[in-house]
Amino acid sequence: MNSNSSSSFQIKPGGVISGRIIVPGDKSISHRALMLGAIAEGNTTITGFLQGEDTLATANVLRQMGVEIKNDGKIVCIKGVGLKGLKKTNSPIDLGNSGTSVRLMTGLLAGQIFDSELIGDKSLMTRPMLRVINPLRSMNAEISCTDKGTLPINIIGGCKLQGIEYELPVASAQLKSCLLLAGLYAEGITTIIEKQATRDHTERMLSAFSHSITRDEKRISISKADSLIGTDINIPADFSSASFFIIAAIILPGSDVVLENVGINPTRDAMLKIMELMGADIELENKREQSGEPVADIHIKSSDLHGINIPQELVPVAIDEFPVIMVAASCAKGETCLSGAAELRVKESDRIQSMLDGFIATGIQAEGTEDGMIVRESKFNGGVVNSHGDHRIAMAFAIAGLVSKETIVINNCENVATSFPGFVALSQKAGMNIAYV
Ligand code: S3P
């Protein structure tokens, strides 16, 4: 634990966001690079890896399963053990706060010859797991969890997985990726039908590891793999981490900032579309491709916003950005309505309730609905907010502090380190008046 790990943030209003900022590497891509590198043949070298608690939890668990992973803080080198080379751990596999790690790892472990038990922290132990367990059972996996559908998950090894055709009942990239990883071990073809697009990093990365999937509109198919081949992966900056500075620059008058080398995968960047619909001035510069992922420098100037009804098809592809989008909505003329976002209730916290609690504490006019929220133009008065241990709630209210009448203090911010180590220092560099208290 570092000395700031149990601290609160204090943000004073004002300033401008300016300069050129590089946020840490993409969390989703970092998890996938570790997992595929571990089960590939030969070496994988990762640059741009997110040195966050979630991705380090994935790395540690893979080490416990016998994979040699060297991490000097800049470059990660993995000696792949092959599809059948992972080993049983001596103790339960603890994935901390990370939903992505536990759901993807469950798919990977369902195909192994040994038994596994997966656990996590207080938040992860309450999150829904039947969404992965049910389809894995249809693939012939022997797998169980609590009666409430939560961790611990127990997997009996040695089951012969069978490919299935499965329509995703929730728009979830974690579920899709879990089944793709199990599909590497399943006889025949595993086909996933995705009604609404979700992030496609697993599909892209599988082809970088020489195992292609096929995509026919909404049907994604993967065949059993003989091997994956290790490769070099250069990970772009995380769009979800960049989103806090994007919104900060939009709502703070006089701001003009460039976020460098950010992943703009079209299954991730819908927040830009939402902000443009609300009137934001955003330019993508120097567009290019890096390890199979589209990347750009994002140039933002402060803009006047107006409220909108957020199009429902954009919800799954902006899912992690809603806490900070809702902060922007409070600065927009009129009313902004979010619906079709019930998944927000089962993230690291119930993000609809956590945002509402923070809005009530700081004077914003907002109403919660079963699957979303209505936010009306209003001014943050300042006050004390509980992040509920949710990294994205903590960072969203840090941005709110910039446009507040008085100081905002956010408690329980330690989990910011799961996705964005160095958030406070980088925010100070960008022009925010933020400190630990
Ligand atoms: C993720 C998928 C999303 C997202 C999470 C990361 C991933 O979850 O909220 O932060 O890396 O696959 P769902 O797929 O459950 O919506």
Side-chain angles (χ1 to χ4, degrees):
M1 255 198 203
N2 73 46
S3 57
N4 290 322
S5 64
S6 58
S7 306
S8 303
F9 297 166
Q10 173 186 274
I11 301 92
K12 294 199 172 140
V16 290
I17 304 295
S18 63
R20 299 184 75 86
I21 302 175
I22 306 181
V23 300
D26 187 281
K27 179 153 76 78
S28 293
I29 301 176
S30 294
H31 284 300
R32 287 153 171 86
L34 285 172
M35 289 184 201
L36 294 187
I39 57 168
E41 306 283 336
N43 296 332
T44 290
T45 302
I46 312 172
T47 44
F49 177 76
L50 171 68
Q51 304 283 349
E53 285 176 4
D54 279 7
T55 44
L56 293 174
T58 294
N60 281 338
V61 158
L62 290 167
R63 285 191 186 107
Q64 283 166 30
M65 291 193 275
V67 184
E68 192 182 311
I69 302 177
K70 288 199 181 124
N71 179 2
D72 68 3
K74 284 214 153 87
I75 298 177
V76 175
C77 299
I78 308 171
K79 254 194 191 161
V81 296
L83 285 161
K84 296 186 177 153
L86 296 176
K87 296 200 169 60
K88 184 175 166 45
T89 60
N90 296 324
S91 49
I93 294 168
D94 187 347
L95 292 158
N97 192 246
S98 178
T100 306
S101 310
V102 84
R103 298 206 178 99
L104 271 59
M105 205 63 96
T106 300
L108 184 56
L109 291 172
Q112 308 301 321
I113 53 161
F114 52 84
D115 301 351
S116 311
E117 181 178 0
L118 292 95
I119 57 169
D121 73 2
K122 207 169 131 213
S123 151
L124 195 58
M125 294 299 278
T126 65
R127 294 182 66 187
M129 296 297 151
L130 282 176
R131 57 181 62 192
V132 293
I133 289 176
N134 288 336
L136 287 172
R137 281 182 179 150
S138 321
M139 292 177 82
N140 204 32
E142 211 175 306
I143 176 166
S144 62
C145 62
T146 67
D147 292 344
K148 289 189 195 144
T150 54
L151 294 176
I153 285 177
N154 278 285
I155 301 168
I156 306 294
C159 296
K160 273 213 165 314
L161 298 188
Q162 290 294 330
I164 52 166
E165 183 167 309
Y166 187 71
E167 182 170 315
L168 300 182
V170 276
S172 165
Q174 292 179 355
L175 168 54
K176 172 177 66 175
S177 301
C178 163
L179 300 179
L180 288 172
L181 291 172
L184 290 172
Y185 293 87
E187 289 304 324
I189 309 279
T190 301
T191 298
I192 298 151
I193 301 154
E194 182 176 59
K195 281 178 286 185
Q196 278 185 291
T198 64
R199 64 190 70 190
D200 65 358
H201 304 304
T202 309
E203 295 90 308
R204 287 170 187 258
M205 197 171 286
L206 277 164
S207 37
F209 280 88
S210 307
H211 188 75
S212 301
I213 54 118
T214 57
R215 175 149 208 150
D216 176 9
E217 294 194 2
K218 297 184 171 177
R219 296 168 66 85
I220 304 156
S221 298
I222 186 165
S223 54
K224 184 173 180 183
D226 295 325
S227 62
L228 303 181
I229 311 296
T231 187
D232 292 346
I233 303 280
N234 186 1
I235 299 178
D238 194 315
F239 181 84
S240 301
S241 298
S243 72
F244 297 104
F245 293 105
I246 295 174
I247 299 278
I250 291 172
I251 63 178
L252 202 54
S255 297
D256 185 342
V257 75
V258 176
L259 276 305
E260 290 183 10
N261 205 42
V262 183
I264 50 154
N265 181 318
T267 60
R268 280 294 290 287
D269 72 348
M271 188 201 82
L272 297 180
K273 292 189 191 79
I274 294 170
M275 294 319 299
E276 277 168 352
L277 289 172
M278 293 174 76
D281 180 358
I282 300 171
E283 265 174 62
L284 296 182
E285 296 170 354
N286 196 13
K287 281 195 198 176
R288 56 209 182 267
E289 188 146 311
Q290 187 175 301
S291 296
E293 290 279 346
V295 170
D297 301 333
I298 307 179
H299 188 172
I300 307 106
K301 292 185 190 145
S302 53
S303 320
D304 291 333
L305 300 178
H306 54 265
I308 58 166
N309 284 329
I310 296 174
Q312 288 211 1
E313 71 278 9
L314 297 183
V315 169
V317 278
I319 194 71
D320 288 344
E321 285 63 74
F322 283 111
V324 74
I325 291 174
M326 291 297 114
V327 168
S330 72
C331 304
K333 276 207 165 37
E335 198 172 86
T336 299
C337 297
L338 168 67
S339 59
E343 276 295 296
L344 290 177
R345 293 210 179 269
V346 290
K347 293 295 179 188
E348 284 82 332
S349 71
D350 173 344
R351 286 189 175 153
I352 294 174
Q353 194 56 49
S354 301
M355 285 307 292
L356 272 178
D357 291 348
F359 281 158
I360 290 165
T362 51
I364 294 300
Q365 293 169 28
E367 256 168 60
T369 62
E370 223 167 273
D371 67 346
M373 186 182 265
I374 300 163
V375 181
R376 298 189 184 88
E377 182 182 11
S378 41
K379 185 93 184 149
F380 288 96
N381 292 326
V384 179
V385 172
N386 183 352
S387 79
H388 297 275
D390 185 328
H391 55 137
R392 298 201 198 281
I393 300 295
M395 291 185 278
F397 278 99
I399 303 310
L402 299 175
V403 290
S404 175
K405 286 185 204 153
E406 305 284 343
T407 299
I408 290 184
V409 172
I410 306 148
N411 289 330
N412 209 357
C413 295
E414 45 281 10
N415 281 338
V416 167
T418 61
S419 68
F420 201 151
F423 171 73
V424 168
L426 197 57
S427 301
Q428 287 165 343
K429 194 174 152 221
M432 284 171 59
N433 195 339
I434 179 170
Y436 288 104
V437 284

